[in-house]
Amino acid sequence: MLDESLLDAPEGLAEADRRGLLRGAAEAGARVRTAARNAAEAGVRGLRPDGRPRAVLIAGPGAAATHAADLLGTLAGAGSPVTRLAPTGVASAAGALRWELPGWAGSVDLLLIATPDGTEPSLSLLAEQAYRRGCTVVAVAPAGTPLAETLEGARGLFIPMATAPYDHGEPLAGSAPGVLWALLTPLLALLDRVGLLSAPPDALEKVADRLDHIAERCGPAIVTYSNPAKTLAAELADALPVIWTEGDSAGPAGRRFAAGLAELSGIPAIVAELPEALAAHSALLAGPLAASADPDDFFRDRVEERPALHARVVLLRDRPLGGLTAAPAARDLALSHDTPISELEPDPGDEIETLAELIAVTDFTAVYLALASGT
């Protein structure tokens, strides 16, 4: 159950935030600036690549590496395929995870390792294997970890992860806002130098400014009625989020939002891209999860009974190319089944800026849901 009164109690939110999630979301812009500076000091700006890699492989544990691979693949387009190497193992502990290079990986490929831990033995073995195969290896991880020492021996490029003191209190959630930007920013700077995407220093500074702006709009001191993240959190109370995305940038933001809701808030969500979402979720909206499926819901005793779970559509939109949009059809489908709909659309800007805004607002939303529900 969501304690909506806590949303407008900044001191209560701070007391409930034992994992530093709100602080991580608020300091995302600062984390981008620190991570960009770490990348520059590590020598990224001075790189003179011979050409584009045939493929970019990304390895790392948890949601952070998954989201980084998704975002980089979207921004890079078809220039070079970006593939996440999924780990195997009997548990999610650092010592139990295993990564392997595909058999075809060689000297024309680039291996990126992104981890907020750095103690995973298999990642160190992966870096050594890549070195023997002739792959270029770049890693982002906390300084002073075993992985950092391995990169020195494997003649790879190591970039210290931008960390904060509160990162070390408890194990970091992969969907934590600060973790994503700390790992993603150096990789953006690197792939800009390689020529796979456009993320020069001034573009990263704009991303940091946009994140600062969202932190001002969505911070804990801003009341719910004028705070888009708190408003969305309140709307999703006792709802099944059905996340629809439109536009290239909105896709990875929607997938991250669904993962963050599950990991941080314990809320299940489903996600799909328009226009195919209209067919994929039509039966869902017409079924028992639709608001219209329980006509007696209005008269339910809301004190004594737990509310029924009903779908709520969350439409994340970037501006689609050519002006073609399925948003009107999405609204019609949702409303025809009495399903409420929430919409988020970023202010104009570069692709990375608009992507950062969608991620930042939904990150704040997932954090508020986590704190107000006591998870």
Side-chain angles (χ1 to χ4, degrees), residues 35-279:
R37 183 170 62 251
N38 287 353
E41 292 175 353
V44 168
R45 293 185 187 176
L47 294 176
R48 297 290 184 268
D50 295 331
R52 291 186 174 191
R54 176 182 61 179
V56 178
L57 306 172
I58 300 182
T66 302
H67 299 157
D70 192 8
L71 293 164
L72 293 175
T74 297
L75 294 170
S80 287
V82 178
T83 304
R84 178 181 179 247
L85 300 180
T88 58
V90 297
S92 60
L97 295 173
R98 298 288 183 271
W99 286 268
E100 290 288 341
L101 280 180
W104 49 262
S107 59
V108 293
D109 303 310
L110 171 63
L111 172 64
L112 306 177
I113 299 176
T115 172
D117 189 333
T119 65
E120 302 91 346
S122 185
L123 285 180
S124 295
L125 294 174
L126 181 71
E128 294 172 352
Q129 181 187 17
Y131 171 65
R132 292 193 298 269
R133 296 260 201 104
C135 289
T136 301
V137 185
V138 179
V140 182
T145 56
L147 182 61
E149 299 176 2
T150 299
L151 263 288
E152 293 180 5
R155 298 181 183 179
L157 175 64
F158 177 78
I159 304 173
M161 176 182 167
T163 58
Y166 55 86
D167 285 344
H168 307 293
E170 293 187 24
L172 291 171
S175 296
V179 176
L180 173 69
W181 294 110
L183 295 178
L184 179 65
T185 303
L187 301 182
L188 288 171
L190 174 72
L191 295 190
D192 174 73
R193 296 300 303 165
V194 175
L196 287 185
L197 50 81
S198 178
D202 60 332
L204 295 180
E205 184 61 34
K206 288 181 180 179
V207 168
D209 292 342
R210 182 69 67 100
L211 292 172
D212 287 344
H213 175 64
I214 298 303
E216 293 174 358
R217 291 178 57 202
C218 299
I222 308 301
V223 295
T224 297
Y225 69 83
S226 58
N227 185 320
K230 287 184 179 180
T231 298
L232 182 56
E235 291 171 345
L236 291 179
D238 305 316
L240 171 68
V242 179
I243 303 168
W244 292 346
T245 67
E246 184 172 53
D248 290 341
S249 296
R255 290 186 286 273
R256 172 173 169 79
F257 186 30
L261 287 173
E263 183 175 7
L264 302 180
S265 313
I267 296 175
I270 57 176
V271 60
E273 297 185 14
L274 291 176
E276 292 182 324
L278 301 178

